[in-house]
C-alpha cells in the first residue's frame, strides 16, 4: 500500500499507537482481538456477508481468488445489491485491512477469520442470512393522533431552548468551574440546575447540548458563555431551535439517515431500532448507546414524543431544517414585548418575552420565576449592577416606560433614582505600589460605611484590612473585590487612578471554540515505523522478530542458512540473543554455540516434532 492508503486505513481502525516501533508492532496491534472486534462490530450487513463468504472459501494460507468469491456469493443467493457492489465492498474491507490484496490473490488474515467465523450461527447470522435481502417494510395502521404529537413535540422543543437560554444566562452571570478529572464542580452544578429549574441529574445532557452547539466555551478551568451563545440568545425561538437540531443531525451517520428514508411514513422508534440492529448485527454496545443518545435528544428537541416521531423529524433527517423550524415554531407560545410593572417592584411578563427585551431587563432586574409568564424583581443591588455596567437612571426609566403596560409605579421610580444617587458611595480602584502586597483599594467619604464593610462577615473571603478612616485594602484583584461588594448589595463603583468612574461588565463572552488542529497521530506513527523503508531490511527485521520471540520463549527453531556455493543447510538452534545483525544460538545437535549473520539466514521454521 502507498503511504496515503495506509494512513487512510489506519484512521478507520481503532488501536493503541503507544509502544508501536515498527511495522511488525503495527501488524500485531491491528490483529489484536480487541481491535478486530471493534472493526467487525462497525461493519454493516453487506460488508459482513462478503467478509464471511471470503473467510469460508479461504485456503490454509487464507488466500482466495475473485472468481471463487463471486461463485460463493452466487451460492449464498445473495441480494442483488451485494452482487452489483461486490467489488466496492471488497475494496472497503481492504481499506480497513480486514482483507489483504496480494499480487494474484486476496487473503483473509487468520486472526480476522478467527474472530468472525466462530460467531457465525451463534451471536451472528449465518452467511446466507447475512447476504439475504432486507425484510420488507410493512405498512401498519397509525393509531396515533399526529396533531397531538406535534403539539407535545413543540412544547418539549420550546422547553429545551428556554432551558438552554437560562443555562447561558447563568454562565454569563457567573462562570462554572471544570474539575481536573472532568465534569462541573458540584457547587456550580447545583447552582446551574437551580437557576435553570431542572433536576441535577438532567444538567449534564443540557450542558452537553450547549457545548456541542458552541454556545458555551471553556477558558482555562472555567466554562463561560461564548460569543456564539451571546448571539444565539437574541435570535427568535425558531432560529435557536434550528441550531440545536442542526447539531443533532450532524451526529447521525449517513447509513442511518438512509434507513429513515427507507421507512418513510412508517417510521417509529421501535421500527427504526429494529432496522438499525438488522443493518449492524455485530453492533453491540456502541450501537445501543448511540441510538439511546440520539433518541433522548430527539425527545428533547420535540422530534419525537414517547418514541413516536413527529412530522418535523422527517424534515430534519431529510435536511429541510428551515421547513422543520417553521413548522415547529408555529406551535410555540407567542412572544410579547410588554410587561406589567407592579408597586411591589416586581415585573410580570404575560408571556415569553422577546429575546432583546428579556436581555435588557435582566441587566437591572433578577429573574424570580420562569414559565410562560415570567416574573422579575428590581432591587437596589440589581440597579447598582446596571449602573456599574453603564446604564443611568434616565436610560433605565426610559426603557421601563417603553415596555410597561401600566406606567412606572412611584416606588419603582423612587428606587431607581435613589440607587443612582447612592451609586459610587463606595469606590474600588487599583492599590498604589506603596500598599503592596495589597492589590485593591476601597474608599468612601462615609467613615461608618467603611467600618460596616470591615466587619461584614459576608466580605471575609476578600480579606479587607483597615488603612485609615476612609480606606480599606485587599490582596485580591479589583474586579474580584468589586463584584464581591456588588453581590453584598453595597453601592459600589469602580474608578481609575484619576478618580473617574470606570464601567465594569461582568457578563463576559469568550470566542466559540474553533476546530483544534491537532497533530495527526497516524502521521506520527507512520514517520516512526516507515523510516527504514521496505525491501531486504524489512525481511531481515521480520527474521529478527521471530528469533527474538523464540529467545524469549526459550524455543528451538529450524534455521535454514545459506552456504557457500549457493546451497542451504538446516540447523536446529535455540536462539539466545539477536544483536548488531547477528544471531547467537545453541546448536542442539552439535551442542555448541553458533553465531550467524542474519543476512546468511534464508528461513526460519518450527523445530521438528520429537
Amino acid at each position: 500500500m502507498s503511504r496515503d492508503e495506509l494512513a487512510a486505513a489506519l484512521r478507520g481502525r481503532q488501536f493503541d499507537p503507544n509502544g508501536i516501533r515498527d511495522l511488525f508492532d503495527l501488524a500485531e496491534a491491528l490483529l489484536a482481538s480487541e481491535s478486530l472486534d471493534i472493526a467487525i462490530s462497525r461493519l454493516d450487513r453487506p460488508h459482513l456477508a462478503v467478509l464471511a463468504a471470503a473467510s469460508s472459501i479461504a485456503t490454509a494460507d487464507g488466500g482466495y481468488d475473485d472468481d471463487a468469491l463471486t461463485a460463493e456469493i452466487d451460492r449464498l443467493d445473495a441480494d442483488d445489491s451485494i452482487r452489483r457492489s461486490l467489488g466496492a465492498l471488497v475494496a472497503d474491507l481492504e481499506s480497513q485491512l480486514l482483507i489483504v490484496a496480494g499480487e494474484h490473490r486476496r487473503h483473509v488474515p487468520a486472526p480476522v477469520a478467527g474472530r468472525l467465523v466462530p460467531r457465525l450461527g451463534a451471536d451472528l447470522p449465518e452467511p446466507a442470512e447475512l447476504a439475504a435481502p432486507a425484510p420488507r417494510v410493512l405498512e401498519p395502521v397509525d393509531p396515533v393522533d399526529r396533531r397531538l404529537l406535534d403539539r407535545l413535540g413543540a412544547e418539549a422543543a420550546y422547553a429545551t431552548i428556554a432551558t438552554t437560554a437560562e443555562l447561558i444566562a447563568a454562565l454569563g452571570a457567573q462562570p462554572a468551574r471544570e474539575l481536573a478529572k472532568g465534569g462541573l464542580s458540584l457547587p456550580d452544578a447545583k447552582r446551574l440546575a437551580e437557576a435553570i429549574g431542572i433536576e441535577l441529574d438532567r444538567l449534564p445532557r443540557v450542558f452537553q447540548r450547549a457545548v456541542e452547539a458552541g454556545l458555551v466555551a471553556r477558558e482555562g478551568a472555567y466554562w463561560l458563555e461564548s460569543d456564539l451563545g451571546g448571539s444565539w440568545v437574541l435570535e427568535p425561538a425558531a432560529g435557536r431551535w434550528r441550531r440545536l437540531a442542526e447539531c443533532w443531525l450532524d451526529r447521525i451517520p449517513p447509513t442511518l439517515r438512509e434507513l429513515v428514508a427507507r421507512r418513510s411514513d412508517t417510521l417509529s422508534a421501535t421500527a427504526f431500532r429494529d432496522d438499525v440492529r438488522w443493518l449492524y448485527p455485530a453492533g453491540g454496545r456502541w450501537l445501543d448507546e448511540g441510538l439511546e443518545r440520539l433518541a433522548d435528544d430527539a425527545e428533547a428537541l420535540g422530534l419525537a414524543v414517547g418514541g413516536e416521531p413527529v412530522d418535523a423529524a422527517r424534515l430534519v433527517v431529510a435536511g429541510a431544517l428551515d421547513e422543520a423550524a417553521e413548522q415547529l415554531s408555529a406551535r410555540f407560545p407567542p412572544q410579547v414585548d410588554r410587561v406589567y410593572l407592579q408597586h411591589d417592584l416586581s415585573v410580570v411578563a404575560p408571556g415569553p418575552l422577546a429575546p432583546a427585551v428579556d436581555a435588557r431587563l435582566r441587566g437591572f432586574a433578577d429573574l424570580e420565576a420562569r414559565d410562560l409568564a415570567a416574573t422579575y424583581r428590581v432591587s437596589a443591588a440589581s440597579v447598582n449592577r446596571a449602573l456599574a455596567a453603564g446604564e443611568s437612571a434616565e436610560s433605565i426609566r426610559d426603557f421601563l416606560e417603553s415596555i410597561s403596560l401600566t406606567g412606572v409605579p412611584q416606588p419603582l421610580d423612587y428606587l431607581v433614582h435613589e440607587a443612582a444617587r447612592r451609586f459610587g458611595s463606595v469606590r474600588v480602584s487599583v492599590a498604589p505600589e506603596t500598599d503592596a502586597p495589597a492589590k485593591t483599594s476601597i474608599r468612601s467619604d462615609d467613615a461608618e460605611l467603611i467600618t460596616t464593610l470591615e466587619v461584614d462577615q459576608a466580605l471575609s473571603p476578600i480579606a479587607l484590612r483597615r488603612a485609615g478612616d476612609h480606606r480599606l485594602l485587599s490582596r485580591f484583584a479589583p474586579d474580584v473585590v468589586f463584584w464581591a461588594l456588588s453581590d453584598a448589595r453595597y453601592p459600589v463603583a469602580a474608578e481609575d487612578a484619576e478618580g473617574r468612574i470606570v464601567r465594569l461588565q461582568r457578563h463576559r463572552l469568550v470566542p466559540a471554540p474553533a476546530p483544534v488542529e491537532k497533530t495527526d497521530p497516524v502521521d506520527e506513527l507512520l514517520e516512526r515505523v516507515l523510516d527504514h523503508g521496505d525491501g531486504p531490511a524489512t525481511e531481515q527485521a521480520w527474521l529478527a522478530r521471530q528469533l527474538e520471540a523464540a529467545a524469549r520463549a526459550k524455543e528451538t527453531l529450524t534455521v535454514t542458512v545459506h552456504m557457500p556455493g549457493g546451497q542451504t543447510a538446516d540447523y536446529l538452534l535455540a536462539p539466545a540473543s539477536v544483536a548488531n545483525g547477528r544471531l547467537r544460538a545453541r546448536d542442539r545437535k552439535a551442542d555448541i554455540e553458533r553465531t550467524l549473520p542474519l543476512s546468511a539466514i534464508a528461513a526460519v521454521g518450527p523445530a521438528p516434532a520429537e
Side-chain angles (χ1 to χ4, degrees):
M1 301 177 75
S2 69
R3 181 191 176 100
D4 290 343
E5 290 172 337
L6 180 56
L10 296 180
R11 292 187 184 102
R13 291 287 299 274
Q14 291 190 26
F15 60 95
D16 184 4
N18 296 323
I20 296 179
R21 299 162 300 171
D22 52 33
L23 286 169
F24 308 109
D25 289 334
L26 178 58
E28 288 183 0
L30 293 171
L31 293 177
S33 298
E34 183 179 1
S35 177
L36 289 176
D37 288 343
I38 293 173
I40 290 172
S41 73
R42 281 159 172 74
L43 293 179
D44 60 20
R45 206 173 188 93
H47 287 89
L48 269 178
V50 173
L51 184 59
S55 300
S56 65
I57 64 171
T59 56
D61 65 350
Y64 72 91
D65 57 45
D66 292 342
D67 291 339
L69 179 60
T70 302
E72 178 66 10
I73 291 295
D74 290 338
R75 188 189 71 79
L76 295 174
D77 195 21
D79 182 47
D80 289 341
S81 62
I82 295 180
R83 298 171 194 254
R84 290 192 301 267
S85 58
L86 182 58
L89 294 171
V90 171
D92 288 343
L93 293 170
E94 288 178 358
S95 70
Q96 298 177 60
L97 300 173
L98 297 174
I99 289 179
V100 181
E103 290 187 17
H104 305 292
R105 308 174 78 206
R106 289 186 171 85
H107 297 261
V108 179
V112 175
R115 299 306 298 179
L116 175 62
V117 173
R119 299 178 60 186
L120 298 174
D123 63 320
L124 291 178
E126 295 281 4
E129 190 178 348
L130 287 173
R136 295 183 61 184
V137 175
L138 302 178
E139 297 289 340
V141 176
D142 190 355
V144 181
D145 185 347
R146 290 290 164 184
R147 291 174 299 175
L148 176 61
L149 287 186
D150 290 340
R151 181 170 60 81
L152 294 176
E155 291 177 2
Y158 188 83
T160 294
I161 60 177
T163 299
T164 307
E166 289 302 326
L167 171 68
I168 293 173
L171 288 176
Q174 183 178 345
R177 186 166 63 90
E178 173 89 359
L179 299 175
K181 62 182 179 181
L184 296 176
S185 67
L186 184 58
D188 282 329
K190 290 181 176 179
R191 172 179 62 83
L192 292 176
E194 183 178 356
I196 296 171
I198 61 174
E199 298 295 329
L200 184 61
D201 58 356
R202 287 184 54 204
L203 180 64
R205 285 299 310 124
V206 175
F207 194 85
Q208 185 62 30
R209 272 194 295 270
V211 172
E212 290 171 349
L215 306 180
V216 300
R218 185 175 168 184
E219 186 177 69
Y222 289 90
W223 287 96
L224 300 94
E225 175 185 0
S226 72
D227 51 2
L228 181 60
S231 60
W232 181 85
V233 296
L234 297 177
E235 291 185 27
R240 298 186 192 184
W241 180 87
R242 188 190 188 286
R243 172 65 183 168
L244 298 179
E246 186 177 18
C247 294
W248 177 82
L249 180 63
D250 288 343
R251 294 198 302 272
I252 303 179
T255 49
L256 298 191
R257 298 186 202 180
E258 293 172 6
L259 287 181
V260 175
R262 173 177 179 264
R263 280 283 169 184
S264 185
D265 290 337
T266 64
L267 176 67
S268 70
T270 302
F272 182 58
R273 288 173 186 269
D274 290 344
D275 270 358
V276 172
R277 291 193 177 97
W278 178 88
L279 184 63
Y280 292 94
R285 193 175 73 175
W286 75 269
L287 189 64
D288 291 336
E289 290 177 350
L291 285 173
E292 196 65 35
R293 185 178 168 198
L294 286 175
D296 287 347
D297 283 350
E299 296 271 349
L301 293 172
L303 299 176
V305 177
E308 292 292 335
V310 302
D311 291 338
R314 299 179 180 87
L315 295 174
V316 170
V317 175
L321 288 166
D322 291 333
E323 187 178 348
E326 182 179 355
Q327 186 179 104
L328 262 181
S329 62
R331 296 179 179 273
F332 287 170
Q335 294 181 337
V336 299
D337 57 3
R338 295 290 188 273
V339 298
Y340 294 101
L341 302 182
Q342 312 276 40
H343 285 75
D344 63 353
L345 305 181
S346 63
V347 180
V348 178
L353 270 181
V357 177
D358 176 72
R360 179 79 183 276
L361 186 58
R362 285 172 186 257
F364 56 85
D366 297 315
L367 182 68
E368 278 195 339
R370 179 78 182 195
D371 207 336
L372 293 183
T375 303
Y376 305 79
R377 185 164 299 279
V378 183
S379 65
S382 65
V383 173
N384 197 84
R385 181 179 68 225
L387 296 172
E391 291 275 13
S392 66
E394 290 73 21
S395 66
I396 293 174
R397 195 181 192 288
D398 290 344
F399 176 70
L400 289 174
E401 284 184 338
S402 69
I403 65 171
S404 177
L405 293 166
T406 54
V408 180
Q410 185 178 8
L412 181 56
D413 190 37
Y414 175 80
L415 173 70
V416 171
H417 283 89
E418 182 63 17
R421 185 185 66 79
R422 297 181 65 240
F423 176 66
S425 298
V426 179
R427 300 291 184 97
V428 172
S429 62
V430 177
E433 293 182 1
T434 53
D435 289 327
K439 296 180 180 179
T440 301
S441 171
I442 303 103
R443 71 176 182 87
S444 175
D445 295 336
D446 187 344
E448 291 185 4
L449 183 54
I450 288 292
T451 301
T452 301
L453 293 175
E454 184 183 15
V455 299
D456 190 341
Q457 292 301 309
L459 300 177
S460 59
I462 58 175
L464 299 178
R465 62 183 178 88
R466 197 72 174 247
D469 292 341
H470 298 277
R471 194 158 166 264
L472 295 168
L473 296 175
S474 173
R475 58 186 173 86
F476 291 92
D479 59 334
V480 174
V481 174
F482 177 89
W483 291 115
L485 293 172
S486 177
D487 291 342
R489 301 178 181 274
Y490 288 102
V492 60
E495 65 179 7
D496 59 16
E498 285 74 35
R500 293 173 302 211
I501 290 181
V502 178
R503 304 301 183 184
L504 293 185
Q505 185 69 40
R506 192 175 200 172
H507 190 91
R508 185 165 63 90
L509 303 181
V510 297
V516 180
E517 293 186 7
K518 297 182 179 179
T519 304
D520 190 342
V522 171
D523 284 340
E524 290 184 351
L525 175 64
L526 293 181
E527 287 290 340
R528 188 164 65 246
V529 303
L530 297 181
D531 57 350
H532 298 301
D534 203 351
T538 302
E539 294 297 332
Q540 284 194 15
W542 173 231
L543 283 173
R545 173 62 67 96
Q546 296 176 84
L547 295 169
E548 288 172 352
R552 288 193 300 269
K554 302 185 183 305
E555 293 179 348
T556 299
L557 301 175
T558 299
V559 179
T560 303
V561 180
H562 291 291
M563 305 298 290
Q567 297 177 338
T568 60
D570 291 339
Y571 291 90
L572 198 62
L573 302 179
S577 66
V578 179
N580 300 320
R582 304 181 73 81
L583 166 67
R584 184 171 62 84
R586 190 79 182 173
D587 190 322
R588 290 301 189 192
K589 288 186 176 180
D591 196 24
I592 60 173
E593 186 175 279
R594 295 185 184 275
T595 301
L596 301 171
L598 294 182
S599 58
I601 298 177
V604 172
E610 292 293 342

